Amino acid sequence: MSADGLPMVVPAQDLPARVRIHEVGARDGLQNEKMTVPTEVKAEFIRRLAGAGLTTIEATSFVHPKWVPQLADAEQLFPLLGDLDVELPVLVPNQRGLDRALALGARRIAVFASATESFAKANLNRTVDESLAVFDPVVRQAKDADGHVRGYVSMCFGDPWEGAVPLHQVARVCKALLDMGCDELSLGDTIGVATPGHVLELLSLLNEEGVPTDVIGVHFHDTYGQALANTYAALEHGVTTIDASAGGLGGCPYAKSATGNLATEDLVWMLQGLGIDTGVDLGRLVATSVWMAAHLGRPSPSRTVRALSHKEQ
């Protein structure tokens, strides 16, 4: 699939030269599907994403099958990916999840915290402080095993139960995760209510509170069509890790107002036009999302996928 030379590359001043895309479609995307995707299809999806040039692909989650049945095959899936020369982070909710992941050789681990009490209760059945207490030994053990640990922070910009989330509340959770040893953070706009000024204000506050920009990634949902605008604001601040989901898959099973993640193809189109290197072959990525959409039985919500796949017909 070809964009016929588009978009025209017009760089903007003071933006990063390169961005690392943290691809979450295989985990955060598929976990929200009503249907269970066969293990072999998941493995092929990840292989195709790697073939498109993505170098960080979140593979699965070692949670109890009762909570996320779509990812119950983590033990079967992860060994199928051992020959891939890419980073394959996995999400773990607790010590048991970490033990399962480490036993299979996983060394890039993610934990999932909340900036709000309501979502911590809904997602983790604990208070914010109780969940951080659970994560502390998990992070430390992962680091002792020479692992790399990402700390997700959900509801950074708004919460469906609590409304606006105070910035200092987000900063407190971020600092706690860094203090226990997390290597990077991902700031989640779980219900997609952020706007660019809000993004810049939070990033600036985090810097003032001692959280450096180079450990921050951003994870935007496109509920109100703001994901790319918010990404641009983060780029202006110097953020170089952007979470995205191939084809715009995903949402959040514990926040019903959350719609899909920022589509990786839409992100790559914008970055390509800005002259920012991602290492991603957009045509191969679009073909991958078209292939996965066929397996899911519905078209991709990504505008770029729809536009470029239509051009090929």
Side-chain angles (χ1 to χ4, degrees):
M1 296 183 183
S2 168
D4 297 327
L6 296 174
M8 185 172 75
V9 177
V10 183
Q13 291 186 340
D14 301 322
L15 295 183
R18 182 175 177 83
V19 158
R20 178 175 68 89
I21 297 174
H22 187 104
E23 172 59 46
V24 300
R27 195 276 302 170
D28 192 23
L30 296 184
Q31 77 172 12
N32 204 44
E33 290 297 314
K34 291 188 172 104
M35 67 174 288
T36 299
V37 178
T39 304
E40 296 74 17
V41 173
K42 292 177 184 175
E44 180 62 19
F45 184 38
I46 292 169
R47 289 183 176 281
R48 291 181 182 225
L49 292 170
L54 289 155
T55 58
T56 304
I57 306 169
E58 201 158 283
T60 189
S61 177
F62 287 86
V63 300
H64 195 287
K66 173 183 175 182
W67 302 116
V68 187
Q70 297 87 342
L71 303 181
D73 60 349
E75 264 94 357
Q76 291 72 46
L77 174 64
F78 197 78
L80 299 178
L81 309 172
D83 61 322
L84 289 179
D85 188 23
V86 296
E87 301 291 353
L88 296 168
V90 296
L91 187 68
V92 303
N94 50 33
Q95 187 70 50
R96 173 59 180 151
L98 176 65
D99 291 342
R100 292 169 59 201
L102 293 179
L104 291 173
R107 290 298 179 269
R108 289 187 77 95
I109 304 298
V111 295
F112 201 97
S114 172
T116 66
E117 296 293 345
S118 295
F119 190 67
K121 185 66 174 176
N123 189 41
L124 302 167
N125 200 30
R126 299 184 181 93
T127 67
V128 169
D129 286 339
E130 286 170 346
S131 65
L132 291 172
V134 169
F135 294 143
D136 186 73
V138 172
V139 173
R140 296 184 191 281
Q141 182 181 338
K143 295 298 295 179
D144 288 343
D146 295 324
H148 176 281
V149 183
R150 161 178 264 225
Y152 279 103
V153 185
S154 59
M155 301 296 173
C156 289
F157 299 92
D159 178 287
W161 300 280
E162 299 181 19
V165 180
L167 301 184
H168 285 282
Q169 193 169 306
V170 180
R172 183 179 80 87
V173 175
C174 288
K175 290 194 293 181
L177 289 168
L178 286 183
D179 287 345
M180 67 179 69
C182 284
D183 298 284
E184 66 174 303
L185 302 171
S186 174
L187 308 179
D189 182 19
T190 314
I191 57 173
V193 295
T195 53
H198 192 172
V199 172
L200 290 171
E201 191 74 12
L202 177 58
L203 292 171
S204 296
L205 175 69
L206 288 173
N207 291 163
E208 293 170 10
E209 295 286 334
V211 179
T213 301
D214 62 5
V215 304
I216 296 173
V218 288
H219 185 117
F220 295 120
H221 285 222
D222 206 31
T223 314
Y224 295 92
Q226 301 297 297
L228 281 176
N230 292 333
T231 298
Y232 193 91
L235 292 171
E236 287 186 310
H237 191 83
V239 172
T240 58
T241 298
I242 311 294
D243 294 7
S245 176
L249 295 172
C252 177
Y254 298 99
K256 300 307 180 186
S257 56
T259 54
N261 291 295
L262 168 62
T264 311
E265 294 83 0
D266 298 354
L267 172 63
V268 172
W269 179 272
M270 182 182 78
L271 295 177
Q272 186 173 307
L274 290 167
I276 297 174
D277 182 28
T278 64
V280 174
D281 183 316
L282 183 56
R284 294 186 70 175
L285 180 59
V286 167
T288 296
S289 288
V290 170
W291 173 85
M292 179 51 91
H295 280 280
L296 296 175
R298 66 172 189 278
S300 166
S302 164
R303 291 173 174 83
T304 300
V305 170
R306 293 186 180 192
L308 295 187
S309 59
H310 176 73
K311 289 167 73 73
E312 293 297 312
Q313 295 174 358

